[in-house]
Amino acid sequence: MNVETTVADSSLLRQRAFVAFWLARTCSSFGFQMFSVAVSWQIYSLTNSALALGMIGLMQFLPSVLLALPAGHLADQFDRRRIVICAQLIEWGALLALVLLTLFSWTDKTALWGLVFVLAVAKALEGPAMTSMLPSLVPPAILARATAANAVGGEAAVIVGPTLGGFLYVAGPDVVYSVSAAFYLLSLVLIGRIRYTRPQQPRLPASLSTLFAGIHFIRARKDVLGVISLDLFAVLLGGATALLPIFAKDILHTGPWGLGMLRGAPSIGALLVGLWLSRNKLEKNVGMIMFGSVAGFGVATLIFALSSQLWLSLLALAALGGFDMVSMVIRGSLVQLDTPDDMRGRVNAVNAIFINTSNQLGEFESGVLAAFMGAVPAAVLGGVGTLVVVGVWMVLFPHLRRRQKLENEAAQE
């Protein structure tokens, strides 16, 4: 067997592994989105309580933050594929438990909250391991395209999953949970078929030093610090989508159908841009493209804030989602490529904390500002704040601004 044949076989295996990985992530995303709709509707039907609905968010948020660093440590010390399989088995078991509880009418809010918490714990453990697998499945040169393809699957799940779950709920929540479990089972089978290998690493005992190693690494790498902190502050300030019900009812004077269109517009924009990015490579000026995309996010937020026409608001939100997709693909690829494999789990865990926290706090910040100064001024302030952050970060991180390629270049300044 000659060298060319060996290289071709290796390339084919990696391609198959990535396809299986993409399908697995998409299936689990569909399952989770359908589950989320069903459990929310079921708990509200049982309680008619907004607080009970809020508890679902709390049950999901706490594990994602509290377990992120330990999960990152596990992802760097043990076989990541096995961690994902174990975590998804727990998620699958929680969904089966929901099916049985619903079939036998044993459901109450405490049991539902408990299973939501179990599923959230498993997802928290799965996240860093799953994210850290991707760079080992594709060559560095096409990691951005692979990241975009993964994001496309996720956006498709966000758009279609809740709708499918809502239609199936007519037949009963147990039907939704059963289909969700089937999606997770398919994901498990696909993950189990992936040939995933990584260099053997010496196992380090869990300690404060190893748990917080991801934070120390990010602080020492200026490009990684700039990328993660840019996302944190831009999302904190640009959370206008949290105010969509106010804009739909009081400013655009539309009903629930209009609100649904407004909620779906960012995902549609992100999906279309993600499809383009998955087929085209970002060759140069990635730093300025990233900053330009975050600035575009801010401008789109301003247009949405000042719009009084539904069509213009929809276009602004679609543009917002598209700009966010470009920024997310570049940011995610830079973090992965600038991080050595033995640190990816912990760095991705820290990144996940920032993403989860900024999303939640961004919605809270927008709500507080809207309560004090009105929805339009709050959204305008968010858009302006995003543009200010872009300008400041371009000054604070000049190497990131001048960065040409996604692949790691010269040593950080």
Side-chain angles (χ1 to χ4, degrees):
M1 181 178 294
N2 58 38
V3 175
E4 291 183 359
T5 303
T6 303
V7 171
D9 290 344
S10 176
S11 176
L12 181 60
L13 288 174
R14 294 181 82 172
Q15 185 178 29
R16 289 176 177 173
F18 171 71
V19 170
F21 179 84
W22 182 85
L23 287 172
R25 289 200 71 166
T26 303
C27 285
S28 61
S29 295
F30 266 91
F32 182 77
Q33 292 295 333
M34 294 172 63
F35 148 80
S36 298
V37 168
V39 76
S40 298
W41 192 273
Q42 189 175 22
I43 283 184
Y44 191 70
S45 297
L46 289 170
T47 65
N48 290 314
S49 167
L51 179 61
L53 280 178
M55 285 294 293
I56 297 176
L58 184 64
M59 292 297 100
Q60 293 177 323
F61 177 70
L62 288 177
S64 70
V65 173
L66 297 179
L67 295 179
L69 294 181
H73 175 79
L74 288 174
D76 285 338
Q77 303 303 313
F78 298 96
D79 187 304
R80 290 167 181 162
R81 187 175 68 99
R82 291 182 180 179
I83 292 174
V84 172
I85 289 173
C86 290
Q88 290 198 352
L89 276 172
I90 295 172
E91 294 166 60
W92 182 63
L95 288 167
L96 289 183
L98 283 167
V99 173
L100 294 175
L101 288 177
T102 304
L103 282 175
F104 291 100
S105 301
W106 293 338
T107 51
D108 60 49
K109 62 182 181 182
T110 304
L112 293 174
W113 286 338
L115 288 170
V116 168
F117 184 78
V118 169
L119 200 143
V121 167
K123 282 193 72 66
L125 295 174
E126 173 193 345
M130 178 73 92
T131 305
S132 301
M133 284 179 64
L134 181 57
S136 299
L137 299 177
V138 298
I142 64 168
L143 179 61
R145 292 169 58 189
T147 302
N150 269 327
V152 166
E155 293 295 341
V158 169
I159 295 170
V160 180
T163 304
L164 181 59
F167 279 124
L168 291 176
Y169 197 94
V170 175
D174 54 305
V175 175
V176 185
Y177 297 139
S178 297
V179 175
S180 297
F183 272 115
Y184 267 98
L185 184 60
L186 182 56
S187 177
L188 276 165
V189 172
L190 290 165
I191 290 291
R193 292 176 60 86
I194 293 175
R195 293 188 179 182
Y196 173 77
T197 58
R198 58 185 290 239
Q200 191 69 30
Q201 304 290 341
R203 290 184 181 175
L204 303 174
S207 64
L208 289 178
S209 175
T210 56
L211 286 177
F212 287 91
I215 296 176
H216 297 312
F217 177 88
I218 290 169
R219 289 180 59 188
R221 299 295 181 98
K222 288 188 177 181
D223 279 8
V224 177
L225 176 62
V227 163
I228 292 178
S229 58
L230 175 66
D231 178 56
L232 171 64
F233 287 101
V235 173
L236 273 174
L237 293 168
T241 52
L243 306 176
L244 286 181
I246 300 174
F247 276 89
K249 182 179 179 182
D250 299 334
I251 296 168
L252 301 173
H253 306 294
T254 185
W257 65 273
L259 176 59
M261 292 175 67
L262 290 169
R263 286 195 179 279
S267 292
I268 292 173
L271 181 65
L272 294 175
V273 173
L275 285 171
W276 187 88
L277 289 172
S278 68
R279 301 180 63 85
N280 295 274
K281 184 179 178 182
L282 295 170
E283 299 282 0
K284 58 182 180 179
N285 296 323
V286 295
M288 284 303 298
I289 291 173
M290 180 190 68
F291 281 118
S293 297
V294 179
F297 180 93
V299 171
T301 300
L302 283 173
I303 295 173
F304 170 75
L306 298 172
S307 168
S308 58
Q309 301 293 323
L310 180 60
W311 66 268
L312 181 58
S313 297
L314 290 171
L315 287 177
L317 289 173
L320 181 149
F323 283 123
D324 189 49
M325 173 62 76
V326 176
S327 172
M328 185 274 294
V329 168
I330 294 176
R331 286 185 282 106
S333 300
L334 283 175
V335 171
Q336 296 276 42
L337 291 170
D338 280 13
T339 305
D341 185 71
D342 63 332
M343 286 293 302
R344 281 193 180 118
R346 283 166 286 182
V347 170
N348 283 321
V350 176
N351 194 21
I353 291 176
F354 282 132
I355 291 172
N356 290 330
T357 303
S358 61
N359 285 331
Q360 300 290 336
L361 291 181
E363 293 184 3
F364 176 73
E365 173 265 343
S366 295
V368 170
L369 283 179
F372 280 99
M373 59 193 309
V376 171
V380 167
L381 186 60
V384 171
T386 300
L387 294 174
V388 171
V389 166
V390 171
V392 172
W393 257 242
M394 289 177 71
V395 173
L396 291 178
F397 300 94
H399 185 274
L400 184 58
R401 184 184 72 239
R402 296 193 296 266
R403 183 145 176 171
Q404 292 294 309
K405 297 180 178 297
L406 290 171
E407 292 84 355
N408 201 350
E409 298 168 319
Q412 307 277 328
E413 286 184 352

